[in-house]
């Protein structure tokens, strides 16, 4: 019997930050590409940390205020553009709430991986939905724990309570996976095929094909 019906493995290492809107757009498009090619491939998706602003305060600052300070008069145009991009993936973009340090969210995403790659992937979705569409603060432990509970991750409260839990591992991954990249989202498919930015589903589909031939 020929093995033509056997599915090929596609491993995707994703570097992203939980306050990066293009990372969430990229995830939604990646999910579409995966759904469209599940009959051909088995997928292994691993999320790695990146920090756009490692020095961001733990207490958080108002998102609109932050973008006004950083981008000045361009900030309103950027918000309108992002709202349009989110609408195209079926989401309503919101700039309500706070923006701040993402380290605790990355520690939790690392912890989720210990419970399985599917749970890690689902947690990234919950965190993004809350932060980008519901005005939740990415540094708020209550929000982080609610997200963990929604996807069935046990032991998250005890883990997050200790600020050193997972810290060394996340810092190590920041060096290993993010040390040589300048922006996110960034994807490495089967170890050698690289993509960056919030690519449309068809770009991912082509990349799966190239990476498995």
């Amino acid at each position: 019997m020929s093995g033509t019906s056997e599915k090929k493995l596609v491993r995707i290492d994703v570097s992203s930050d939980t306050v990066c809107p293009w990372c969430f757009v990229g995830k939604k498009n990646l999910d579409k590409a995966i759904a469209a090619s599940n009959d051909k491939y088995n997928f292994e998706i691993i999320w790695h940390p990146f920090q756009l602003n490692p020095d961001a305060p733990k207490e958080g600052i108002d998102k609109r205020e932050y973008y006004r300070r950083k981008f000045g008069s361009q900030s309103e145009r950027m918000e309108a553009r992002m709202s349009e991009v989110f609408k195209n993936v079926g989401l309503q973009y919101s700039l309500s709430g706070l923006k701040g340090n993402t380290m605790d969210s990355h520690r939790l995403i690392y912890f989720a991986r210990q419970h399985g790659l599917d749970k890690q992937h689902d947690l990234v979705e919950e965190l993004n939905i809350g932060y980008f569409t519901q005005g939740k603060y990415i540094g708020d432990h209550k929000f982080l724990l609610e997200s963990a509970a929604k996807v069935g991750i046990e032991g998250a409260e005890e883990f997050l309570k200790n600020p050193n839990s997972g810290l060394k591992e996340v810092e190590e991954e920041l060096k290993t996976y993010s040390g040589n990249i300048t922006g996110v989202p960034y994807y490495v498919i089967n170890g050698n095929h690289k993509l960056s930015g919030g690519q449309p589903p068809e770009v991912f589909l082509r990349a799966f094909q190239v990476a498995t031939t």
Side-chain angles (χ1 to χ4, degrees):
M1 292 288 288
S2 78
T4 50
S5 62
E6 201 174 304
K7 288 186 184 184
K8 291 177 177 177
L9 176 68
V10 175
R11 173 183 161 132
I12 307 166
D13 288 279
V14 189
S15 293
S16 78
D17 199 359
T18 44
V19 293
C20 158
W22 283 106
C23 294
F24 192 25
V25 171
K27 182 190 179 297
K28 299 307 277 186
N29 289 334
L30 174 62
D31 286 343
K32 276 185 194 166
I34 287 168
S37 56
N38 249 330
D39 57 332
K40 290 183 193 167
Y41 311 111
N42 286 318
F43 290 95
E44 197 175 87
I45 303 151
I46 302 163
W47 290 85
H48 302 285
F50 185 94
Q51 285 195 291
L52 290 164
N53 184 4
D55 301 320
K58 280 250 182 198
E59 60 273 15
I61 53 173
D62 181 82
K63 283 184 199 173
R64 274 202 176 87
E65 183 58 33
Y66 172 83
Y67 286 118
R68 269 195 211 107
R69 276 191 220 160
K70 188 169 181 182
F71 300 110
S73 59
Q74 289 183 57
S75 64
E76 281 181 26
R77 197 160 65 242
M78 289 167 71
E79 183 180 350
R81 163 75 176 134
M82 219 61 240
S83 295
E84 193 60 38
V85 170
F86 266 59
K87 200 186 287 179
N88 290 339
V89 291
L91 295 166
Q92 191 167 355
Y93 181 65
S94 168
L95 268 188
S96 61
L98 302 175
K99 180 182 176 69
N101 199 286
T102 57
M103 178 53 83
D104 285 348
S105 68
H106 288 305
R107 290 198 299 121
L108 186 63
I109 291 167
Y110 161 77
F111 182 66
R113 194 194 311 160
Q114 318 311 307
H115 292 72
L117 296 182
D118 286 351
K119 285 194 175 173
Q120 188 191 43
H121 194 71
D122 291 346
L123 176 66
V124 170
E125 177 77 12
E126 286 297 331
L127 294 176
N128 282 314
I129 288 278
Y131 179 76
F132 291 112
T133 72
Q134 297 167 356
K136 305 283 188 183
Y137 173 44
I138 205 68
D140 176 16
H141 279 207
K142 185 169 177 279
F143 164 56
L144 295 177
L145 294 174
E146 280 170 2
S147 301
K150 276 184 190 173
V151 301
I153 295 165
E154 293 177 8
E157 187 170 3
E158 195 180 330
F159 178 84
L160 270 187
K161 207 185 287 179
N162 180 347
N164 292 315
S165 294
L167 185 63
K168 186 175 144 210
E169 290 83 356
V170 169
E171 285 175 345
E172 196 56 48
E173 285 203 42
L174 283 166
K175 279 185 213 150
T176 308
Y177 288 93
S178 306
N180 297 320
I181 61 175
T182 53
V184 284
Y186 190 80
Y187 313 88
V188 180
I189 301 170
N190 282 358
N192 53 25
H193 193 83
K194 298 171 178 71
L195 291 173
S196 60
Q199 299 290 348
E202 53 272 23
V203 171
F204 285 115
L205 288 168
R206 277 200 302 275
F208 299 161
Q209 200 174 359
V210 170
T212 54
T213 51

